[in-house]
């Protein structure tokens, strides 16, 4: 009416803009800790982050990285943890360089379930791999042991032949019957029970290995950072620089 003036409706609040994603589409949520050597990370069903860094096992809240729980788990001889994985929804398996522990979440109640068969620093575990019901651990002397994670009894134990060289990577095939092993100064090999065979196409060690879902190809990289996909049926190679 006369003398009245229209009042503008209040504008809707502007939602905060998230940090821009990088080229791969990832977003930075928070800065992690950088204590010690070697880091291994798993995600809980609730989305929180469990990190193994040096000798410390830390549970971080997913929304801001705040520390929910923390403990030192690896001993002095270990200096660091090598790997961790979930055995079930609430039980973590933590592989240190000289022992294996099971940790319950939440609460971090833990117990040592396996003392690894080496005690000198230069013989401790360097790499490990796991699949359903199995844990493989190897050291730089070429000692390779595969354990049953239900009992932590050794299923197989052997020493790899070849030149002296650091273990770089282990990977189980999808069916858990074969294990790929990368070692400095030696070709990548496939361990199938007591049979050990060289993988044609890998002429030097690879810092990471993975089988294809059908188990017919092995993926890795050479020392010169050339990616390789090897057909395990015919030995044909494809390199990606």
């Amino acid at each position: 009416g006369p003398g009245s003036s229209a009042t503008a409706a209040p504008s809707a609040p502007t939602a905060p803009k998230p940090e821009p994603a990088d080229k791969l589409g990832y977003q930075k949520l928070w800065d992690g800790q950088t204590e010690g050597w070697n880091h291994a990370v798993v995600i809980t069903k609730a989305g929180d982050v469990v990190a193994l860094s040096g000798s410390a096992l830390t549970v971080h809240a997913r929304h801001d990285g705040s520390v929910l729980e923390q403990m030192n788990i690896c001993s002095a001889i270990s200096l660091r943890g090598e790997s961790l994985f979930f055995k079930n929804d609430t039980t973590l398996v933590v592989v240190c360089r000289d022992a294996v522990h099971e940790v319950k979440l939440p609460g971090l109640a833990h117990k040592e379930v396996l003392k690894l068969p080496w005690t000198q620093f230069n013989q401790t575990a360097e790499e490990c791999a796991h699949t359903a019901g199995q844990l493989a651990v190897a050291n730089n002397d070429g000692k390779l042991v595969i354990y049953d994670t239900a009992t932590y009894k050794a299923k197989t134990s052997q020493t790899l032949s070849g030149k002296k060289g650091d273990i770089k990577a282990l990977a189980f095939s999808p069916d858990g019957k074969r294990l790929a092993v990368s070692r400095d100064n030696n070709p990548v090999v496939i361990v199938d029970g007591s049979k050990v065979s060289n993988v044609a196409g890998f002429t030097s060690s690879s810092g990471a290995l993975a089988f294809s879902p059908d188990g017919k190809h092995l993926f890795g990289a050479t020392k010169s950072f050339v990616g390789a996909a090897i057909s395990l049926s015919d030995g044909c190679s494809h390199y990606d620089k």
Side-chain angles (χ1 to χ4, degrees):
S4 64
S5 60
T7 302
S11 59
T14 302
K17 293 182 178 180
E19 287 191 30
D22 65 15
K23 293 179 181 179
L24 295 178
Y26 295 109
Q27 284 182 278
K28 175 182 174 182
L29 297 179
W30 40 269
D31 290 318
Q33 296 185 18
T34 56
E35 174 204 355
W37 300 316
N38 270 22
H39 300 264
V41 174
V42 294
I43 308 297
T44 69
K45 289 190 72 174
D48 296 323
V49 178
V50 186
L52 182 62
S53 175
S55 63
L57 184 70
T58 308
V59 183
H60 296 275
R62 68 184 298 264
H63 63 285
D64 63 359
S66 59
V67 174
L68 301 178
E69 299 179 289
Q70 188 175 53
M71 66 177 293
N72 285 325
I73 191 165
C74 294
S75 68
I77 190 175
S78 300
L79 295 182
R80 68 190 192 204
E82 288 297 332
S83 181
L84 73 162
F85 59 92
F86 276 103
K87 185 175 182 179
N88 54 47
D89 288 347
T90 60
T91 304
L92 271 174
V93 176
V94 180
V95 183
C96 298
R97 300 187 78 188
D98 64 337
V100 179
H101 304 259
E102 286 191 354
V103 180
K104 291 288 187 181
L105 297 178
L108 301 186
H110 70 286
K111 62 180 178 180
E112 182 181 294
V113 294
L114 175 64
K115 179 68 73 176
L116 293 172
W118 38 71
T119 56
Q120 298 178 25
F121 176 77
N122 63 346
Q123 295 177 332
T124 53
E126 283 297 323
E127 292 293 338
C128 59
H130 65 90
T131 188
Q134 296 186 102
L135 170 67
V137 185
N139 71 7
N140 289 338
D141 285 346
K143 181 75 172 179
L144 172 65
V145 188
I146 298 178
Y147 295 95
D148 182 334
T149 55
T151 62
Y152 291 100
K153 302 292 186 183
K155 297 175 63 177
T156 64
S157 178
Q158 59 187 293
T159 299
L160 301 173
S161 61
K163 300 176 182 178
K164 185 175 178 58
D166 291 353
I167 293 286
K168 291 298 184 182
L170 303 177
F172 274 109
S173 61
D175 61 7
K177 295 181 179 179
R178 294 169 295 161
L179 182 72
V181 182
S182 172
R183 190 178 177 200
D184 270 348
N185 306 315
N186 291 272
V188 172
V189 298
I190 300 290
V191 178
D192 187 350
S194 60
K195 180 183 177 183
V196 180
S197 54
N198 292 351
V199 178
F202 276 108
T203 56
S204 62
S205 64
S206 176
L209 294 171
F211 281 87
S212 60
D214 61 8
K216 294 181 179 179
H217 293 80
L218 183 66
F219 300 89
T222 67
K223 276 186 174 179
S224 55
F225 303 103
V226 176
I230 308 298
S231 171
L232 298 177
S233 57
D234 58 19
C236 293
S237 308
H238 171 71
Y239 293 96
D240 182 9
K241 296 183 180 181

